[in-house]
Amino acid sequence: MTLPTLFIPHGGGPCFFMNPGAEPDPMWIPMRDYLAGLIADLPERPRAILLVSGHWEEDIATVHAGAQPGLLFDYHGFPEHTYRLRWDAPGSPDLARRVTGLLDGAGFPVGEERERGWDHGVFIPMMVAVPDADIPLVQLSLRRDLNPAAHIAIGAALAPLRDEGVLIVGSGMSFHNLRVRGDAAVAPSTAWDDALTQAVTHPDPARRAVRVAAWRDLPNAAFSHPREEHLLPLMVALGAGGAGRAVRDYAGQVMGWAVSGYRFG
């Protein structure tokens, strides 16, 4: 069974866990519900997850090879209880070695590290998607150059994992301009989201990759991503998705931002 690859929105900080024992702010509920259904919507339960977050960059692609990573609370100004959240899934050194081998075999310099905690681009969406923390996870960094074509190629090198029971997830946000919210964001973010979705879901996989790599040419690109680190996980998921069909499987709005999630394969 070949698993799809996913690009998911991971929300804002600990947005799904702001009110202990209660529902989150209503604007976050549709995204929360989408994340909660990720595993059930797969053709089979993955044996492991490989996740690329918009919150980890290194000079070269770097694999977290730790057996039991902690959490990195890399958000600021939230209630005290959000710095005591737990998600205790194991890492997978075996999968980390496999990832390293695939990237090295494709000609990419690749590093390994074991000390960094999982950032909130990992544990916040995974607390919703895998609440029992019973699927091992390995995190892969972005490259600091944020080169779109290179990250698509990195994804392509990792595609064999899809036939090995590994779910490849890009975790970011399709819109990420924290300086604009509310009515001022609605029209430009919607125009951007429509154009991005047309590029991402183009039926020709080669044309799809070209159009998404040239994301800066889309309407309102610089407005939507003043810096593109939250978009680059999409490139990895797209590259790993190969020639499979691409669909938007989440569309919502938070803080006036149009936000989408995508599925490949």
Side-chain angles (χ1 to χ4, degrees), residues 69-88:
L71 302 186
L72 175 63
F73 294 101
D74 56 336
Y75 43 68
H76 307 283
F78 290 95
E80 189 273 338
H81 76 270
T82 65
Y83 299 90
R84 291 184 279 106
L85 296 172
R86 298 281 299 274
W87 192 70
D88 296 328

Side-chain angles (χ1 to χ4, degrees), residues 140-245:
L140 174 67
S141 79
L142 296 171
R143 269 184 11 182
R144 192 166 280 120
D145 64 7
L146 302 180
N147 180 289
H151 284 82
I152 291 172
I154 285 170
L158 298 170
L161 296 173
R162 298 174 57 203
D163 294 318
E164 300 171 15
V166 178
L167 177 66
I168 299 172
V169 178
S171 172
M173 289 287 280
S174 60
F175 180 93
H176 196 252
N177 183 346
L178 301 180
R179 295 192 293 268
V180 60
R181 303 181 185 187
D183 292 345
V186 173
S189 71
T190 300
W192 155 259
D193 190 75
D194 289 345
L196 179 66
T197 297
Q198 289 176 20
V200 169
T201 62
H202 195 285
D204 180 344
R207 183 61 182 155
R208 177 192 309 159
V210 169
R211 290 182 65 180
V212 175
W215 68 273
R216 292 181 182 277
D217 296 334
L218 299 177
N220 301 320
F223 174 87
S224 301
H225 288 278
R227 190 173 185 273
E228 62 268 36
E229 79 287 343
H230 274 65
L231 187 65
L232 264 292
L234 169 63
M235 312 298 172
V236 179
L238 184 153
R245 187 170 69 109

